[in-house]
Amino acid sequence: MKITSVEVHRVEVPPADPPFLWREGLAGSAPVGDGAVLHLGTDEGAEGVALLARPGAHAMLTSLVDVVFREELLGADPFQREWLWHRVWELDRIHELPLPALGLIDTALWDLAGRHYGEPVWRLLGGYREAIPAYASTSTFASTEEFLDVADQSLALGYRGIKLHAWGDARRDAALCLALREHVGPDVPLMYDGSAGFDLPDAIHLGRALSEADYSWYEEPMREFSISSYQRLAACVDIPLLVAETSDGAHMNTADFIKAGAATFGVRASTNLRGGITGAMRIAHLADSFQLRAEVHGSDLPHHHLCMAIPNTTYYESLVTSAHVVRERHVDADGLVHAPTAPGISLPLGLGYGKTLEPFVETPR
């Protein structure tokens, strides 16, 4: 089998309603815009797709395919995913590819394989579970009272835990984290995500409050450029750290976080920031060898498959971006997400210009 077509289709990305923020100074939702679907076809009729849902995605991906990817992929064997995964990293050495583009081809190839064999991708990856608990991952709300109300609604809807994205003010956020723990009691799992809003002194201050409140993990308080800063943070706080979400290099960079002692809870795995399905699974196996967690990041459809395939992940991350909480359609009343059953990753092959992603994506990030 050979790849005979490499195409990009434009799709409409629906806006979040209402719009939301991650923290002060960091926008969350984007206005309605264009996304892009990478479509791979073969001489035997097998097809695979992968979605890039970011502002400017169509122009960026079209340019990459026309200038770089199409020439590399035409005539290639779509089942040689390992070779093609390494080839993308070779191309990155020259072209400095955008981080979300590093795993896009790999994700489309896994989708193609699943469709070809008539199996969902999580089963091709070995399959570990058929359901996983979901936590409510909040956007940033206006007040402590609003956060507490969102937490109450989320727990009433079945969510198994709460993760905060707060204001990016270490002292105000610390007070919120303590208030939430007092409000929900000692048994509800709580997590905090700093969205890279702090320097080391403020990250230490907030981390000590999270330790006091017995949070499960402390995620991305600082930009992930400096592993030594995370090493210092790990030495100064008791709260377990979840790291390596946005740093370049997939498992290669993740390994250095682990070696430095900075991953005291675990590391992040995802397709869109960590090198596709292949990169995410490398990270999961690496973390497992150190008895660490590999928590799957985000609500995209490929991440449903990762959650079912990775033994050392704990939860599915479900975004809650409105003060009126509506449970994500993939989460049931018991707070569980169940394994996909359709072949491949489940995006429809017919997505193209003018189509909407409304049925297939959660809140745009």
Side-chain angles (χ1 to χ4, degrees):
M1 187 184 296
K2 302 297 181 184
I3 296 173
T4 54
S5 68
V6 185
E7 304 299 333
V8 178
H9 303 293
R10 184 176 182 178
V11 291
E12 182 179 294
V13 179
D17 184 19
F20 65 91
L21 300 174
W22 291 123
R23 59 171 169 81
E24 185 175 351
L26 189 64
S29 57
V32 65
D34 63 330
V37 171
L38 175 68
H39 182 280
L40 305 181
T42 68
D43 57 353
E44 296 185 19
E47 300 173 273
V49 296
L51 170 67
L52 185 62
R54 291 175 175 266
H58 181 253
M60 179 185 77
L61 186 57
T62 298
S63 177
L64 284 174
V65 166
D66 289 346
V67 176
V68 181
F69 289 154
R70 184 176 287 112
E71 181 179 354
E72 291 288 335
L73 290 171
L74 289 178
D77 182 343
F79 297 126
Q80 285 192 289
R81 289 182 299 272
E82 281 290 323
W83 187 89
L84 290 168
W85 191 84
H86 282 279
R87 184 62 188 154
V88 168
W89 286 98
E90 284 288 286
L91 297 172
D92 178 64
R93 172 61 186 85
I94 298 299
H95 296 288
E96 290 289 335
L97 300 172
L99 194 59
L102 285 164
L104 203 64
I105 290 170
D106 182 76
T107 300
L109 290 171
W110 276 103
D111 181 57
L112 185 152
R115 294 174 193 273
H116 176 75
Y117 291 112
E119 292 283 358
V121 165
W122 68 272
R123 287 180 60 86
L124 294 188
L125 294 170
Y128 179 75
R129 59 172 66 86
E130 295 187 2
I132 192 168
Y135 67 84
S137 182
T138 77
S139 59
T140 300
F141 298 105
S143 66
T144 296
E145 292 71 26
E146 195 169 18
F147 271 110
L148 298 184
D149 182 57
V150 165
D152 286 342
Q153 292 180 64
S154 299
L155 294 173
L157 288 170
Y159 282 105
R160 303 291 187 90
I162 307 291
K163 188 179 83 172
L164 297 176
H165 293 85
W167 301 291
D169 178 319
R171 280 146 185 81
R172 190 183 181 198
D173 287 12
L176 169 64
C177 292
L178 291 166
L180 179 60
R181 171 54 74 201
E182 182 177 1
H183 183 74
V184 301
D187 298 328
V188 175
L190 298 177
M191 296 76 84
Y192 175 88
D193 187 333
S195 299
F198 306 107
D199 61 10
L200 180 57
D202 278 347
I204 291 171
H205 174 87
L206 180 52
R208 288 172 175 163
L210 295 172
S211 299
E212 179 183 343
D214 192 29
Y215 274 53
S216 297
W217 75 61
Y218 188 16
E219 182 176 345
E220 201 192 6
M222 303 175 286
R223 291 302 301 267
E224 292 177 339
F225 301 132
S226 172
I227 294 176
S228 62
S229 294
Y230 274 90
Q231 185 179 35
R232 289 290 301 142
L233 178 62
C236 292
V237 300
D238 293 329
I239 176 74
L241 303 182
L242 181 62
V243 300
E245 175 182 317
T246 62
S247 55
D248 201 351
H251 67 292
M252 297 168 280
N253 170 268
T254 299
D256 283 338
F257 274 94
I258 294 173
K259 181 177 182 294
T264 49
F265 184 91
V267 296
R268 275 300 196 187
S270 68
T271 59
N272 53 0
L273 296 176
R274 312 304 288 157
I277 298 285
T278 297
M281 294 305 293
R282 275 173 158 73
I283 288 168
H285 296 152
L286 169 70
D288 189 45
S289 69
F290 285 91
Q291 296 296 289
L292 294 169
R293 307 285 172 86
E295 295 294 337
V296 175
H297 171 245
S299 304
D300 299 341
L301 281 174
H303 298 146
H304 294 205
H305 295 267
L306 289 179
C307 281
M308 303 306 159
I310 295 175
N312 52 323
T313 198
T314 316
Y315 295 104
Y316 171 84
E317 180 175 19
S318 178
L319 297 180
V320 170
T321 60
S322 171
H324 174 65
V325 180
V326 177
R327 188 173 59 234
E328 184 185 328
R329 65 185 177 279
H330 301 294
V331 182
D332 70 14
D334 295 319
L336 296 175
V337 173
H338 295 272
T341 57
I345 288 174
S346 304
L347 275 173
L349 287 170
L351 281 176
Y353 185 85
K355 300 290 183 65
T356 178
L357 291 175
E358 187 103 36
F360 309 110
V361 297
E362 297 308 321
T363 307
R365 301 192 66 177

